[in-house]
Amino acid sequence: MKLLEIEHLKKSFGSLEVLQDISLSVEEGEVVSILGPSGSGKSTLLRCATLLETMDGGKLAYCGDCICENNAYGQSVYVSKKERQRIQSRFGLVFQNFNLFPHYSVLKNLTDAPIHVQKRNKEEVYAEAMELLKKMGLQDKADYYPCQLSGGQQQRVAIARALAMNPQMLFFDEPTSALDPELTVEILRVLRQLAEEKMTMVIVTHEIDFARHVSDRVIFMDGGRIVEQGRPEEIIDHPSNDRTRAFLQKIQR
Amino acid sequence: MDILSIVTQLGSGMLSTLSIFFLTLLFSLPLGLLVCFGRMSNWRPFRKLSKDSSSGKLVSGLANFRPVQWLIKIYISIMRGTPLMLQLFVVFYAPYYVFGISINSSFRFYAVLIGFSLNYAAYFAEIYRSGIQSIPVGQYEASSVLGYSRAQTFCKIIFPQMVKRVVPAVTNEVITLVKDTSLAFAIAYQEMFTTAKQIAAAETSIMPLFVAGVFYYIFNFVVAFVMERVEKKLDYYQ
Ligand SMILES: Nc1ncnc2c1ncn2[C@@H]1O[C@H](COP(=O)(O)OP(=O)(O)O)[C@@H](O)[C@H]1O
Ligand SMILES: [Mg+2]
């Protein structure tokens, strides 16, 4: 089943066309890595998909439920706020700089939205949150505040916070870019584990090795377009496009 | 004249000073939040005008016109740009000179409260605004992705972080307020400073003014102590 469908997405900031005609669909259980030079529009793509930006043109749907669709003039028209809120809980986003709530304890970071947004049963949410923390190796950190944790631990809390909403898929925007190399490893380990559990994920990353070994599909973006996509071996080891080749050479050195 | 009898005579003035202080805070702290919302309001009633492009400067200016923000900006600039004493005069005399309503002397107290509250709300609003604007945009984005409504985002995520950020600046204002209460003498309201001056004149002694000074100092010492505790209390994160 197609969890995410994006068709002919267009997005400009003023006169700058940041995304030009992006089409992308993600199957249930699929792990997709997005590579590309900085400024190529990767973050903007994730932000459009997670409703942090509004699309100028194109269609966006989760599990066949439309969030926006083109009108006769090729402009995106969004569904009602209520409908958006309903679909919102199907996906989660993990940021490069975590964006944890600093005034909430780790446990409250995980449980507040499920309890007050999704209105789920408190005991159930707490039990699930403790499970998630255990899975992230943070069971003894439930009462800590984010500022008392290392960057890697904070990012694991952020991943757990996204998972606590029981989303069908997760987006990651350079989840390891703010971390030291030794902390990067612990985040990649978590992502690999999630991939093994068949969590549907779209990951923007510069970790080429990780992308090759963990993802089912690699997308290379440049200049607001998808330049090339396919199986990781094809794209990373035998890129057909010059720009992909140049980018990979630069990053692998 | 001994200190004890001075203190007794100043007693009711002290109570008045305290009540101006606490009531002004009680009104101006929340009012400041309301003013802050107005100052940050992006409501543009004529926005639709510039939809069909190629509109002139005047039209696009009108389309960007934010009436609430504009009004609040004027209000804040008047409150900050003119002396508080003058504002007290205006509040006290305006009902009579502008509207012809006769005022009795109990109105002095309300005039002091209204004047102080309006003035301090303007300052608090600007402090709140800088606090809100200093919160990283990532906090809003995380809240949005987690599905919090706008109201929830403000109440649960933004407001508590704002409070922590503004405590030092609010402390400054509160300490200024303690001293500003003495301005109520301008409209002859009987707070402690007015009383002290009267006793000093009657007894030809500097002692009453000295006692008043000590009172303000101790008052502020307590305020600073309390605010420090508040700051400590909020120290549990970052
Ligand atoms: N809010 C914004 N306003 C204006 N320009 C933006 C905004 N966000 C991103 N951009 C521009 O869009 C382009 C793509 O940015 P981004 O999606 O962050 O790229 P990437 O994540 O691939 O580095 C950049 O040129 C950036 O300057
Ligand atoms: Mg980016």
Side-chain angles (χ1 to χ4, degrees), chain A:
Chain A
M1 184 175 68
K2 276 189 184 135
L3 283 194
L4 169 70
E5 272 180 279
I6 295 175
E7 282 170 20
H8 306 296
L9 159 54
K10 287 192 183 65
K11 175 70 186 174
S12 304
F13 290 112
S15 59
L16 180 69
E17 269 195 70
V18 176
L19 296 176
Q20 334 185 14
D21 197 19
I22 300 266
S23 293
L24 164 71
S25 64
V26 177
E27 293 286 331
E28 190 170 1
E30 203 180 10
V31 178
V32 177
S33 292
I34 301 180
L35 307 178
S38 132
S40 57
K42 307 180 297 293
S43 296
T44 307
L45 173 59
L46 291 203
R47 293 169 59 83
C48 286
T50 52
L51 312 187
L52 289 175
E53 299 282 358
T54 47
M55 303 166 38
D56 297 336
K59 177 189 160 180
L60 170 65
Y62 282 93
C63 311
D65 287 335
C66 261
I67 289 198
C68 65
E69 233 172 342
N70 272 339
N71 63 8
Y73 307 102
Q75 295 161 331
S76 296
V77 178
Y78 280 76
V79 296
S80 70
K81 196 169 168 185
K82 209 167 165 200
E83 179 73 358
R84 285 205 302 271
Q85 273 167 353
R86 189 178 69 79
I87 303 175
Q88 180 108 48
S89 63
R90 299 205 182 143
F91 58 82
L93 171 63
V94 175
F95 300 85
Q96 180 176 342
N97 46 4
F98 332 132
N99 291 335
L100 292 174
F101 302 132
H103 57 307
Y104 283 175
S105 71
V106 166
L107 189 62
K108 196 161 164 64
N109 262 283
L110 265 65
T111 54
D112 195 70
I115 292 171
H116 294 107
V117 175
Q118 297 181 323
K119 315 271 185 218
R120 277 158 53 195
N121 176 281
K122 255 188 194 166
E123 268 87 70
E124 206 182 288
V125 169
Y126 278 110
E128 253 183 63
M130 287 312 294
E131 266 319 295
L132 279 170
L133 286 179
K134 200 182 277 175
K135 188 165 151 186
M136 298 289 155
L138 294 167
Q139 60 273 39
D140 53 338
K141 301 282 191 262
D143 297 324
Y144 282 52
Y145 285 87
C147 60
Q148 299 169 304
L149 304 178
S150 74
Q153 290 169 332
Q154 289 190 43
Q155 190 60 301
R156 279 183 280 157
V157 174
I159 295 172
R161 179 176 69 175
L163 287 169
M165 301 290 283
N166 286 331
Q168 293 174 322
M169 68 179 298
L170 279 184
F171 295 92
F172 296 82
D173 193 357
E174 304 197 25
T176 61
S177 292
L179 301 176
D180 296 335
E182 72 267 24
L183 299 181
T184 298
V185 176
E186 62 184 62
I187 297 305
L188 295 183
R189 196 183 307 133
V190 170
L191 293 184
R192 193 165 290 148
Q193 190 189 343
L194 290 175
E196 275 159 18
E197 294 165 9
K198 290 288 164 221
M199 183 75 203
T200 312
M201 296 189 282
V202 175
I203 308 167
V204 171
T205 183
H206 292 300
E207 302 289 332
I208 302 293
D209 275 339
F210 170 80
R212 184 195 290 128
H213 290 116
V214 176
S215 39
D216 302 303
R217 178 154 50 115
V218 171
I219 290 176
F220 178 72
M221 278 181 69
D222 194 15
R225 292 175 189 280
I226 294 182
V227 173
E228 197 170 4
Q229 61 175 311
R231 299 208 47 80
E233 313 83 71
E234 295 167 32
I235 304 295
I236 294 175
D237 300 332
H238 310 287
S240 60
N241 186 289
D242 287 343
R243 279 187 287 180
T244 317
R245 210 171 296 138
F247 172 75
L248 288 171
Q249 261 165 17
K250 207 163 91 189
I251 206 164
Q252 286 174 320
R253 237 175 315 214

Side-chain angles (χ1 to χ4, degrees), chain B:
Chain B
M1 197 182 183
D2 65 307
I3 294 204
L4 197 67
S5 78
I6 294 177
V7 172
T8 344
Q9 286 190 49
L10 286 181
S12 78
M14 285 177 188
L15 283 182
S16 307
T17 295
L18 286 172
S19 57
I20 297 175
F21 173 80
F22 284 111
L23 288 173
T24 298
L25 284 186
L26 183 70
F27 294 126
S28 62
L29 285 169
L31 185 61
L33 195 60
L34 221 64
V35 174
C36 171
F37 288 152
R39 176 64 182 76
M40 296 179 78
S41 146
N42 269 328
W43 184 54
R44 288 181 295 172
F46 310 110
R47 189 180 43 197
K48 293 216 169 70
L49 286 181
S50 71
K51 266 276 166 62
D52 11 68
S53 52
S54 77
S55 43
K57 258 210 171 98
L58 190 73
V59 174
S60 72
L62 196 59
N64 281 323
F65 178 56
R66 298 172 171 84
V68 176
Q69 185 185 104
W70 186 77
L71 269 174
I72 295 294
K73 265 184 170 168
I74 292 177
Y75 159 67
I76 290 174
S77 82
I78 292 174
M79 288 298 139
R80 298 206 297 187
T82 60
L84 176 53
M85 199 191 288
L86 184 102
Q87 294 165 21
L88 287 180
F89 280 137
V90 171
V91 173
F92 183 60
Y93 292 114
Y96 179 72
Y97 286 108
V98 180
F99 304 107
I101 304 166
S102 67
I103 38 179
N104 58 5
S105 69
S106 76
F107 180 63
R108 286 179 210 286
F109 179 64
Y110 298 109
V112 168
L113 274 190
I114 293 169
F116 277 175
S117 297
L118 288 178
N119 181 277
Y120 273 81
Y123 283 94
F124 287 139
E126 287 297 272
I127 291 174
Y128 296 157
R129 183 167 70 98
S130 72
I132 289 174
Q133 287 176 342
S134 74
I135 293 171
V137 65
Q139 294 291 304
Y140 292 91
E141 294 179 346
S143 310
S144 155
V145 173
L146 289 170
Y148 287 105
S149 68
R150 275 179 62 141
Q152 281 176 320
T153 301
F154 183 78
C155 297
K156 298 177 83 82
I157 311 298
I158 304 303
F159 182 74
Q161 295 189 58
M162 177 208 85
V163 169
K164 180 183 163 81
R165 282 161 195 251
V166 302
V167 168
V170 167
T171 303
N172 274 338
E173 285 306 313
V174 173
I175 285 175
T176 308
L177 175 61
V178 170
K179 295 177 282 181
D180 273 358
T181 52
S182 61
L183 285 175
F185 90 93
I187 53 174
Y189 177 67
Q190 286 284 343
E191 43 62 67
M192 188 189 54
F193 186 68
T194 316
T195 320
K197 248 182 25 178
Q198 287 162 354
I199 305 172
E203 305 278 335
T204 55
S205 153
I206 194 95
M207 249 347 240
L209 292 176
F210 179 75
V211 172
V214 170
F215 171 79
Y216 285 120
Y217 184 80
I218 293 174
F219 193 173
N220 264 333
F221 193 83
V222 173
V223 167
F225 177 77
V226 169
M227 294 307 276
E228 206 172 301
R229 292 296 294 268
V230 171
E231 225 173 301
K232 274 251 169 63
K233 198 131 210 179
L234 292 170
D235 240 7
Y236 64 90
Y237 67 90
Q238 74 196 4

